[in-house]
Amino acid sequence: MINTREKKGKNKKIFREYKLRAQNQVLKKGVVDEQANSAALKEQLKMKDQSLRKLQQEMDSLTFRNLQLAKRVELLQDELALSEPRGKKNKKSGESSSQLSQEQKSVFDEDLQKKIEENERLHIQFFEADEQHKHVEAELRSRLATLETEAAQHQAVVDGLTRKYMETIEKLQNDKAKLEVKSQTLEKEAKECRLRTEECQLQLKNLHEDLSGRLEESLSIINEKVPFNDTKYSQYNALNVPLHNRRHQLKMRDIAGQALAFVQDLVTALLNFHTYTEQRIQIFPVDSAIDTISPLNQKFSQYLHENASYVRPLEEGMLHLFESITEDTVTVLETTVKLKTFSEHLTSYICFLRKILPYQLKSLEEECESSLCTSALRARNLELSQDMKKMTAVFEKLQTYIALLALPSTEPDGLLRTNYSSVLTNVGAALHGFHDVMKDISKHYSQKATIEHELPTATQKLITTNDCILSSVVALTNGAGKIASFFSNNLDYFIASLSYGPKAASGFISPLSAECMLQYKKKAAAYLKSLQKVQQSLEKISKLEQEKEHWMLEAQLAKIKLEKENQRIADKLKNTGSAQLVGLAQENAAMSNAAGQDEATAKAVLEPIQRTSLVPDVESREDLIKNHYMARIVELTSQLQLADSKSVHFYAECRALSKRLALAEKSKEALTEEMKLASQNISRLQDELTTTKRSYEDQLSMMSDHLCSMNETLSKQREEIDTLKMSSKGNSKKNKSR
């Protein structure tokens, strides 16, 4: 494929070069034709100049002839003037002579008048022809100058284009040579890549065969050894212990800790809000220290006094939920059993809100009916009553969704797993709604407090209580905003963590299976700890066995030394006598018996060596053992050195291959970028060539139009010159005849 693409690229480049050459030849031919046309026009202009010069000469001769005729006329007039007095003197000579002279005079006068008129007409025609000739000559000279400048400009453009085309052709030839070199290198690399791909295919084939064999073996083992596949059925798979994700557990514990802190702040703010509301009822609109408050407010105050028994369990339930999430557990909705208790505490608090809501609304109505209540304060009380209804509704909505989230840990059929994400999204929306309601309450209560502070009957106790209630409402607003933003930021993680469960299954089926899974998890952890202990004991046993072998070798060497010493003593006793030999033998026997049972193992090791040894000398046996172990050590060291050298060689080769691969990738990327740039340059040059060709064609068409117009003007001028020639010839003939 690479060779075909390169060949196609080469063919395209060659075709483009031939096309450029052909276009260049056409342009050269057009330039030569234009030069020939300009030369022909110059020759025509020269011929016209010559004809104009001839006409000028003819006109000069005509003017000279006219001057001669004028002088002759003047002479005739002078003669006529001289003849008149003579005629007066000769009047008397006779009537015949006078009549002849009068007839001649009348003839001469008529002839002279005609010649004068003809001379004037000729002068007028000559002047008009001269002016017309000058005008035509000026126009022709201006046109000739413009045509020469245009021809020079066209010639400069043509020269520039030819230089540019030559430069582009040279550049393209250089690029072609470079690309040919690069194509050769790429072909070499492609061949190497083919060889590598063949090798990789062979390796892949071998690996496929190996893996297929292993797969068949494992499948046969599974079919023979495994009684059943527990992941096939969801009921059994739910009992499998999932992979322990410590990061997930730490993240969930961190989130639970943050939620606990937010709930604690919210609980504190709710306690303050209910407590300060109770204090406000005792002092406004009627102060209990001065007068008795209404039975409605007394009942409302009694209920508000019980707020701690409903609000404190929320913090306790969240604390128990936080403590249930540890590093060793698996935290999903099916295993968070403590979420049910938190939901129950929230339900009890909502019952408390429902119980105090009518009393709160009636208390606000009672404030509105008071004589101290203004219209602005009445409007604020109405807004607060609406806000309290919204607050209770938002808490009911939030409790509904939390109760739904607590169902998977108690009633698995109560909530489908596909609805988990939608329920969590609705919880986030409910929290944002709670934040919006608290902002409205804070806004309206601050307006109510400012109006009440302006009343003339407002006491310092009322102002302080209102400030405390307003601070608790602000704390509730901030806490609600923090919880809403916290839940929205972690919503994606909550939705993603729902898939955390048994392998190859959608999740836990029931709380009972989740509880069994947690028990199995504890048992698995205990089993892994026991395996660690067994591993440690096995390592200790292996170390003891190594020490045992070491001491057995030490005992063997000590035994050999003892036998050597006994042999030396026996050799000495041969020279001293038999009695001493017997005593020493008894002492040596006692020493050998005193060695005890610790040397029994060494004797057991030495017995095969003594049986197989052909040399009875003790030193020779010790030398044999030493030589054997030394030879083994030398062999092992040589093998180790060989393995080290091979590993170093393979590491260097792999490193060199990786470097070559990286360099080849870089060169490949650079070549691809250069190819892209070259293709862009070629396309750009083609566009420039097409544009220059079009502009040159436009210029040629304009030049041809100019030449046609010039030819037309020249033909008209020729006709005019011919007419002038004809008229001048006719005039000259008439003058000659006259």
Side-chain angles (χ1 to χ4, degrees):
M1 293 294 290
I2 294 169
N3 291 326
T4 55
R5 289 176 183 174
E6 291 176 355
K7 288 179 180 178
K8 287 180 180 178
K10 289 180 180 178
N11 292 327
K12 287 181 179 178
K13 289 177 183 176
I14 292 166
F15 179 71
R16 288 171 185 169
E17 288 179 0
Y18 284 132
K19 193 173 180 180
L20 288 171
R21 288 176 182 174
Q23 291 174 354
N24 194 5
Q25 289 177 0
V26 171
L27 291 172
K28 286 181 179 179
K29 188 176 181 182
V31 170
V32 171
D33 293 335
E34 287 296 325
Q35 289 177 355
N37 290 326
S38 63
L41 288 171
K42 287 180 180 179
E43 289 179 358
Q44 288 178 2
L45 286 172
K46 287 179 181 179
M47 293 294 290
K48 286 183 179 181
D49 288 333
Q50 290 176 1
S51 62
L52 286 171
R53 287 173 185 173
K54 288 179 180 179
L55 289 171
Q56 188 68 32
Q57 289 175 1
E58 289 179 358
M59 291 296 291
D60 292 335
S61 63
L62 287 171
T63 53
F64 181 73
R65 183 66 177 167
N66 287 328
L67 289 172
Q68 286 180 353
L69 290 171
K71 288 178 179 180
R72 189 176 178 186
V73 168
E74 288 177 357
L75 290 172
L76 289 171
Q77 286 178 356
D78 293 334
E79 289 177 358
L80 182 61
L82 291 172
S83 63
E84 285 179 355
R86 291 178 182 177
K88 289 179 181 180
K89 292 178 179 179
N90 295 322
K91 277 184 180 180
K92 296 178 180 181
S93 61
E95 291 178 357
S96 59
S97 61
S98 61
Q99 289 177 357
L100 288 172
S101 61
Q102 287 178 358
E103 289 177 359
Q104 288 178 357
K105 184 178 179 181
S106 62
V107 170
F108 283 132
D109 289 334
E110 289 176 359
D111 191 10
L112 181 62
Q113 188 67 32
K114 288 180 182 179
K115 286 183 179 179
I116 289 168
E117 290 175 357
E118 187 176 2
N119 193 9
E120 287 178 358
R121 186 172 55 78
L122 287 172
H123 275 292
I124 291 166
Q125 288 180 357
F126 176 75
F127 180 75
E128 290 177 354
D130 192 9
E131 290 294 329
Q132 190 176 4
H133 176 263
K134 287 180 181 179
H135 182 67
V136 170
E137 185 178 2
E139 287 182 355
L140 290 173
R141 288 185 185 279
S142 62
R143 288 182 182 177
L144 180 62
T146 54
L147 290 171
E148 285 179 353
T149 54
E150 288 178 357
Q153 290 176 359
H154 291 311
Q155 187 64 34
V157 170
V158 170
D159 294 335
L161 289 173
T162 52
R163 285 196 299 271
K164 191 174 182 181
Y165 291 149
M166 292 300 291
E167 290 176 357
T168 52
I169 288 165
E170 290 178 358
K171 188 175 180 181
L172 289 172
Q173 287 178 354
N174 294 325
D175 293 336
K176 180 183 176 183
K178 290 179 181 178
L179 290 171
E180 286 179 353
V181 173
K182 289 179 182 178
S183 64
Q184 290 177 359
T185 55
L186 288 172
E187 285 178 356
K188 291 180 182 178
E189 290 179 357
K191 289 179 181 178
E192 293 178 357
C193 290
R194 286 171 191 163
L195 295 173
R196 289 178 185 174
T197 50
E198 290 177 356
E199 292 177 358
C200 292
Q201 286 177 357
L202 291 173
Q203 292 178 1
L204 182 63
K205 187 177 180 181
N206 295 326
L207 288 171
H208 182 69
E209 291 177 355
D210 189 10
L211 290 173
S212 61
R214 290 182 183 180
L215 180 62
E216 291 177 356
E217 185 179 357
S218 61
L219 287 173
S220 63
I221 291 169
I222 289 168
N223 293 325
E224 291 176 0
K225 303 293 183 182
V226 178
F228 68 95
N229 185 10
D230 55 355
T231 60
K232 186 176 181 181
Y233 302 100
S234 59
Q235 292 85 0
Y236 299 143
N237 190 29
L239 300 174
N240 287 328
V241 179
L243 296 174
H244 182 66
N245 193 345
R246 183 172 177 271
R247 186 179 297 173
H248 169 75
Q249 290 301 120
L250 293 175
K251 177 73 173 176
M252 291 300 295
R253 186 169 176 81
D254 185 19
I255 291 171
Q258 295 179 17
L260 176 62
F262 293 139
V263 170
Q264 287 174 351
D265 295 337
L266 194 65
V267 165
T268 304
L270 287 171
L271 288 171
N272 293 330
F273 177 68
H274 294 310
T275 304
Y276 292 133
T277 305
E278 181 187 358
Q279 291 180 7
R280 175 185 164 80
I281 292 168
Q282 297 292 331
I283 62 176
F284 190 81
V286 178
D287 193 352
S288 62
I290 299 171
D291 195 0
T292 58
I293 61 176
S294 64
L296 177 69
N297 284 334
Q298 288 179 1
K299 195 70 174 177
F300 186 31
S301 177
Q302 182 182 355
Y303 286 152
L304 286 174
H305 192 69
E306 299 172 356
N307 69 86
S309 61
Y310 295 100
V311 178
R312 290 290 183 189
L314 294 174
E315 183 179 356
E316 294 175 0
M318 196 66 197
L319 181 62
H320 291 317
L321 179 62
F322 171 70
E323 290 174 351
S324 66
I325 298 171
T326 60
E327 186 181 346
D328 298 330
T329 59
V330 178
T331 304
V332 288
L333 288 177
E334 289 84 358
T335 58
T336 54
V337 183
K338 298 297 181 181
L339 186 61
K340 180 67 176 175
T341 58
F342 179 75
S343 175
E344 291 173 353
H345 294 321
L346 185 59
T347 304
S348 65
Y349 176 68
I350 288 167
C351 292
F352 170 73
L353 289 177
R354 289 173 183 168
K355 184 170 64 173
I356 66 172
L357 181 61
Y359 294 96
Q360 194 166 13
L361 298 176
K362 290 292 183 181
S363 178
L364 290 171
E365 289 178 1
E366 187 176 344
E367 287 184 10
C368 293
E369 292 173 356
S370 177
S371 61
L372 300 174
C373 185
T374 62
S375 61
L377 188 59
R378 191 177 291 108
R380 299 291 86 76
N381 288 332
L382 292 174
E383 289 174 352
L384 278 173
S385 63
Q386 296 295 326
D387 293 337
M388 291 301 170
K389 290 179 183 178
K390 290 179 182 178
M391 179 180 172
T392 306
V394 165
F395 268 106
E396 289 176 351
K397 188 177 181 181
L398 186 62
Q399 189 272 335
T400 302
Y401 292 125
I402 291 175
L404 287 173
L405 290 176
L407 284 176
S409 61
T410 55
E411 298 176 4
D413 297 331
L415 181 65
L416 296 176
R417 188 175 178 83
T418 55
N419 297 326
Y420 286 0
S421 59
S422 62
V423 173
L424 288 169
T425 306
N426 290 325
V427 170
L431 289 172
H432 282 288
F434 176 52
H435 181 223
D436 295 335
V437 170
M438 291 311 302
K439 285 194 292 185
D440 293 337
I441 292 173
S442 176
K443 177 183 175 183
H444 297 153
Y445 205 91
S446 64
Q447 294 173 358
K448 175 182 169 64
T450 53
I451 294 170
E452 288 179 350
H453 292 172
E454 293 175 356
L455 293 174
T457 58
T459 60
Q460 186 63 35
K461 191 186 294 185
L462 177 62
I463 293 170
T464 306
T465 305
N466 284 336
D467 291 337
C468 292
I469 292 173
L470 190 59
S471 63
S472 62
V473 169
V474 171
L476 270 173
T477 305
N478 294 331
K482 289 179 181 178
I483 290 175
S485 60
F486 161 75
F487 196 86
S488 297
N489 293 331
N490 293 300
L491 181 61
D492 295 334
Y493 182 75
F494 290 151
I495 294 171
S497 63
L498 297 175
S499 61
Y500 181 62
K503 191 175 181 181
S506 60
F508 300 105
I509 295 173
S510 64
L512 183 61
S513 64
E515 187 177 357
C516 293
M517 182 275 299
L518 293 175
Q519 293 178 2
Y520 292 154
K521 182 178 175 63
K522 292 178 181 178
K523 290 181 181 179
Y527 178 68
L528 289 174
K529 288 181 181 178
S530 64
L531 287 177
Q532 289 179 357
K533 290 180 180 178
V534 171
Q535 185 67 27
Q536 291 175 359
S537 62
L538 288 172
E539 289 177 357
K540 288 181 180 179
I541 290 168
S542 63
K543 288 180 181 179
L544 291 172
E545 286 180 352
Q546 291 177 0
E547 290 178 357
K548 178 183 175 182
E549 291 177 357
H550 173 70
W551 289 113
M552 285 176 67
L553 291 173
E554 291 291 334
Q556 183 180 0
L557 293 174
K559 185 69 175 176
I560 291 168
K561 289 180 180 179
L562 180 61
E563 290 179 356
K564 186 176 180 181
E565 188 66 22
N566 289 331
Q567 185 67 31
R568 186 176 62 78
I569 292 168
D571 292 336
K572 282 185 179 181
L573 290 175
K574 285 181 182 180
N575 297 323
T576 56
S578 60
Q580 294 177 355
L581 181 61
V582 173
L584 289 171
Q586 290 176 356
E587 288 181 2
N588 290 327
M591 289 173 67
S592 63
N593 291 323
Q597 295 179 357
D598 293 334
E599 296 179 357
T601 56
K603 289 180 181 180
V605 173
L606 285 170
E607 284 178 0
I609 296 172
Q610 290 175 357
R611 291 174 184 173
T612 55
S613 179
L614 297 175
V615 182
D617 194 0
V618 178
E619 293 179 356
S620 63
R621 284 186 292 175
E622 186 176 357
D623 293 334
L624 284 172
I625 292 168
K626 287 182 179 179
N627 292 328
H628 174 70
Y629 282 110
M630 289 299 291
R632 184 64 178 165
I633 289 166
V634 170
E635 185 179 358
L636 290 173
T637 53
S638 62
Q639 290 178 359
L640 182 62
Q641 289 176 358
L642 182 62
D644 289 335
S645 63
K646 286 182 178 180
S647 65
V648 170
H649 176 68
F650 287 141
Y651 175 73
E653 189 174 358
C654 292
R655 191 172 180 182
L657 287 172
S658 65
K659 287 182 179 179
R660 287 180 63 188
L661 183 61
L663 291 172
E665 291 291 334
K666 289 181 180 178
S667 63
K668 184 179 179 182
E669 291 176 358
L671 288 172
T672 53
E673 290 179 356
E674 289 179 358
M675 288 287 287
K676 288 179 181 178
L677 291 172
S679 62
Q680 291 176 359
N681 290 326
I682 290 166
S683 62
R684 182 172 57 79
L685 289 171
Q686 286 179 352
D687 295 333
E688 289 180 357
L689 183 62
T690 53
T691 53
T692 51
K693 184 180 177 182
R694 288 175 182 173
S695 63
Y696 190 72
E697 287 177 354
D698 295 334
Q699 290 175 1
L700 287 174
S701 63
M702 290 173 67
M703 288 174 69
S704 62
D705 294 334
H706 282 301
L707 290 172
C708 291
S709 63
M710 286 174 66
N711 289 323
E712 289 177 357
T713 54
L714 288 172
S715 62
K716 289 180 181 179
Q717 289 175 3
R718 284 176 183 173
E719 290 176 356
E720 290 176 356
I721 290 165
D722 291 334
T723 54
L724 288 171
K725 283 181 180 179
M726 293 294 290
S727 63
S728 62
K729 285 180 181 179
N731 292 325
S732 61
K733 286 179 180 179
K734 287 179 181 179
N735 291 325
K736 286 178 180 179
S737 63
R738 287 175 183 175

